[in-house]
Amino acid sequence: MQDKIVIVGAGVAGVNAATKLVDNGYPGELITIIDMGKDPYNRLPEEVMTGMLGAGGWSDGKLTYHTAIGGQLSKYTGEDKAMELMDQVITNFKRFHPKPEEVQCSNPETEPDFIKPYFGLRLFPVWHVGTDYLSEIAKNWYDYLVEKGVQFVWEHKVYSIDFNKNEVSLANHNFAGEIQYDELIFAVGKSGIDFAQQLANQYELPDEPKSVQIGVRFEAPQHHFQKLIDISYDFKLYRKYEDKGVSLRSFCTNNNAAYVAVEETYGDHSYNGHAKKDPKYLNNMTNFGILMEINGIEDPFKWSRDVVSKLQLEDTGLYYSPSRKPSTTSEGNGVTVTPINWMQLLGVSGAFEGYFDYIVEFINDMKKIFPTLEDDWGVYIPEVKYLSPEVKVNYKDLSLIDFPNVHFVGDALSARGITVSGSQGIYVAEGVLNEMLESEEYNKKLQQQ
Ligand SMILES: Cc1cc2nc3c(=O)[nH]c(=O)nc-3n(C[C@H](O)[C@H](O)[C@H](O)COP(=O)(O)OP(=O)(O)OC[C@H]3O[C@@H](n4cnc5c(N)ncnc54)[C@H](O)[C@@H]3O)c2cc1C
């Protein structure tokens, strides 16, 4: 039997799922992808989170290749399968890349002595696609899926899903309607976190316990960090305070042509970063998140949202530096942020409920191992990873416990990066394909042919 599949979200997870299906002969006409953003030919650079390839479409294009990075995957699939799925995602990005030979892998192998005893360094391979190519990749990928018959519905927001009637309700400014599905792949990413929460509440979906992931985006001239960048482009410094349930890590390091990007979630501003490949964007800056993982907070989602909302001033997030000014975006505009002085930093510390001290210590220790850094840095406050409540799913196909034809994938489930999101999408598609191959009706049809 071949089912009508509706995918909500044309992000990394949704697009990889559709690709796996059509690559394996699933009729594109039976797949509908709905996205509130735009197709890749009309998506604007400032539309950071929505449209073809979702947040991955304007990301830094770093494809991490390790199961300890980027959220949950191996817990569902096992280690070997997880790596195989990641290979498939990387292959897809290369396949639609205008210059696949430029996709390169960095794979640091030894932890340098100079970072000890202050930090550990997590070592893992990263494939670099480059932000500049993502738009071209998105177009090539989109054209392929369209050619295969996949139906796209752009600029329509799905605002409710009836899991009992198998019905998705969607609307834009001049249309509202419903679409029926047999299988639903829910892939709304971070920009759909509110919606995921709404469904979790409505259907009382059980979830897994989570930690808080919050911190700042740190920025400084690149030369201060060069000796570590030479060893690991996307270095991951980390440290742990086991007894306090807190660990910190540098997150998503961008270099050479590195820009800070504003993320808007729930109407609040937080910060992230991306790097450009084209030499015309070189600014010789480095930025990375200093993210704390805090365990044991009762309602981590609500706690993070409260902290982020307290860190807003004049409708933006905050910038603190002992000596610098906020940078510009790659389009040459100032990053939307409100500078604060050190007195106001005390308020930041209060908003973080004591946890800001860990970040201060992290920065002070970086000054020890990168001696030229001194006061030549700034922080954009806050950076946050809203780990939406991770709904409990069946590990075999990421389907909801009570609704086996509804599959949650990507950042809307438990991913925090491109390779894991894409892998989860492919994993679900494989489940659908296997089910199809096992179905009596399909086999009967095959025999009749
Ligand atoms: C600036 C930035 C840089 C990043 N850099 C990296 C990086 O270098 N490496 C890395 O691994 N990760 C990076 N990430 C994270 C990565 O982009 C995400 O983890 C990944 O895109 C998640 O994939 P997804 O498919 O789950 O969601 P997304 O890719 O976010 O896609 C979700 C899609 O769902 C749509 N949607 C949401 N709600 C609805 C709704 N109600 N109705 C219809 N459509 C809806 C959105 O429009 C969006 O297109 C970055 C993120 C940002 C913001």
Side-chain angles (χ1 to χ4, degrees):
M1 194 182 75
Q2 287 184 321
D3 290 333
K4 180 159 196 287
I5 299 176
V6 170
I7 301 176
V8 184
V12 176
V15 163
N16 273 284
T19 306
K20 182 75 195 181
L21 288 165
V22 296
D23 279 350
N24 286 277
Y26 205 93
E29 296 72 21
L30 291 177
I31 303 169
T32 303
I33 306 185
I34 307 164
D35 200 287
M36 62 186 181
K38 296 189 186 130
D39 71 71
Y41 292 96
N42 290 299
R43 183 177 170 178
L44 303 171
E46 59 269 31
E47 291 161 359
V48 175
M49 309 286 283
T50 62
M52 180 71 184
L53 284 185
W58 290 130
S59 71
D60 191 36
K62 289 197 288 277
L63 309 184
T64 55
Y65 187 57
H66 196 289
T67 52
I69 308 284
Q72 302 290 348
L73 182 60
S74 55
K75 100 168 172 194
Y76 311 120
T77 64
E79 194 69 20
D80 291 349
K81 180 67 190 170
M83 295 313 291
E84 190 240 296
L85 289 163
M86 286 195 191
D87 278 329
Q88 294 192 48
V89 176
I90 292 162
T91 303
N92 277 340
F93 272 89
K94 285 189 192 161
R95 172 179 165 193
F96 297 108
H97 199 295
K99 293 184 184 163
E101 66 284 0
E102 288 197 14
V103 181
Q104 281 176 6
C105 184
S106 64
N107 187 10
E109 271 157 19
T110 39
E111 207 172 76
D113 284 337
F114 76 88
I115 64 164
K116 302 168 192 167
Y118 299 104
F119 299 98
L121 185 67
R122 237 178 228 154
L123 301 165
F124 57 91
V126 181
W127 289 92
H128 302 265
V129 168
T131 304
D132 302 335
Y133 291 122
L134 282 163
S135 173
E136 285 308 302
I137 292 173
K139 286 174 193 158
N140 294 341
W141 207 328
Y142 173 58
D143 291 346
Y144 171 74
L145 292 173
V146 169
E147 191 188 299
K148 287 281 178 186
V150 173
Q151 316 285 307
F152 281 88
V153 182
W154 295 112
E155 298 183 65
H156 283 71
K157 186 168 183 166
V158 173
Y159 63 90
S160 108
I161 304 177
D162 191 326
F163 291 159
N164 296 307
K165 289 191 189 154
N166 294 347
E167 189 174 88
V168 164
S169 301
L170 65 162
N172 70 2
H173 47 276
N174 55 16
F175 167 86
E178 279 79 38
I179 297 182
Q180 300 288 324
Y181 62 82
D182 298 309
E183 297 282 338
L184 179 80
I185 300 179
F186 186 73
V188 295
K190 256 196 184 177
S191 53
I193 274 184
D194 264 349
F195 186 35
Q197 180 71 58
Q198 177 194 315
L199 293 172
N201 295 344
Q202 182 183 347
Y203 292 99
E204 297 179 359
L205 304 176
D207 58 45
E208 311 259 0
K210 283 258 147 144
S211 59
V212 164
Q213 306 264 343
I214 199 164
V216 298
R217 174 101 342 210
F218 182 92
E219 184 185 52
Q222 179 170 332
H223 63 89
H224 300 306
F225 291 90
Q226 196 60 48
K227 65 178 172 178
L228 187 55
I229 293 166
D230 289 343
I231 296 166
S232 170
Y233 172 92
D234 182 14
F235 57 80
K236 295 245 185 287
L237 293 170
Y238 71 90
R239 61 193 308 169
K240 270 191 173 163
Y241 301 85
E242 301 262 9
D243 51 327
K244 305 279 192 314
V246 178
S247 61
L248 284 89
R249 67 189 195 282
S250 60
F251 172 82
C252 180
T253 304
N254 300 293
N255 304 309
N256 303 323
Y259 294 89
V260 171
V262 179
E263 283 184 352
E264 200 174 328
T265 324
Y266 309 117
D268 288 332
H269 283 190
S270 55
Y271 298 90
N272 203 327
H274 61 133
K276 296 269 188 177
K277 258 203 160 170
D278 191 323
K280 75 177 183 207
Y281 291 111
L282 280 179
N283 61 358
N284 299 317
M285 296 296 282
T286 287
N287 69 58
F288 50 86
I290 301 177
L291 274 190
M292 292 183 281
E293 177 168 323
I294 310 171
N295 289 297
I297 288 189
E298 193 161 301
D299 187 343
F301 188 63
K302 181 173 176 312
W303 190 88
S304 310
R305 279 192 63 176
D306 286 350
V307 173
V308 170
S309 72
K310 285 183 203 154
L311 295 170
Q312 308 290 307
L313 193 63
E314 297 172 12
D315 296 329
T316 78
L318 312 173
Y319 176 80
Y320 173 75
S321 169
S323 67
R324 299 183 62 85
K325 292 199 164 45
S327 294
T328 53
T329 65
S330 51
E331 282 76 50
N333 306 314
V335 175
T336 313
V337 73
T338 304
I340 56 168
N341 59 34
W342 71 268
M343 285 289 282
Q344 289 166 299
L345 204 58
L346 295 176
V348 170
S349 192
F352 271 98
E353 298 182 10
Y355 290 103
F356 198 69
D357 291 352
Y358 293 104
I359 295 176
V360 173
E361 197 171 315
F362 196 96
I363 295 173
N364 284 337
D365 285 345
M366 284 199 304
K367 289 198 226 171
K368 292 177 193 150
I369 62 168
F370 303 109
T372 56
L373 181 60
E374 297 181 339
D375 284 344
D376 196 13
W377 53 271
V379 284
Y380 298 79
I381 312 168
E383 172 149 347
V384 65
K385 304 296 152 206
Y386 281 120
L387 302 184
S388 49
E390 178 188 336
V391 294
K392 282 209 164 94
V393 289
N394 293 303
Y395 284 11
K396 72 173 170 48
D397 63 357
L398 312 186
S399 62
L400 297 182
I401 308 292
D402 293 330
F403 302 97
N405 63 339
V406 177
H407 310 264
F408 271 48
V409 289
D411 283 8
L413 175 64
S414 58
R416 291 200 294 278
I418 295 171
T419 21
V420 171
S421 294
S423 297
Q424 291 182 356
I426 292 174
Y427 186 60
V428 167
E430 288 183 353
V432 171
L433 289 163
N434 288 339
E435 218 167 83
M436 181 183 91
L437 290 175
E438 281 161 17
S439 88
E440 267 179 44
E441 212 174 304
Y442 180 76
N443 281 315
K444 240 192 246 164
K445 231 184 192 177
L446 274 188
Q447 276 162 13
Q448 284 162 6
Q449 278 171 6

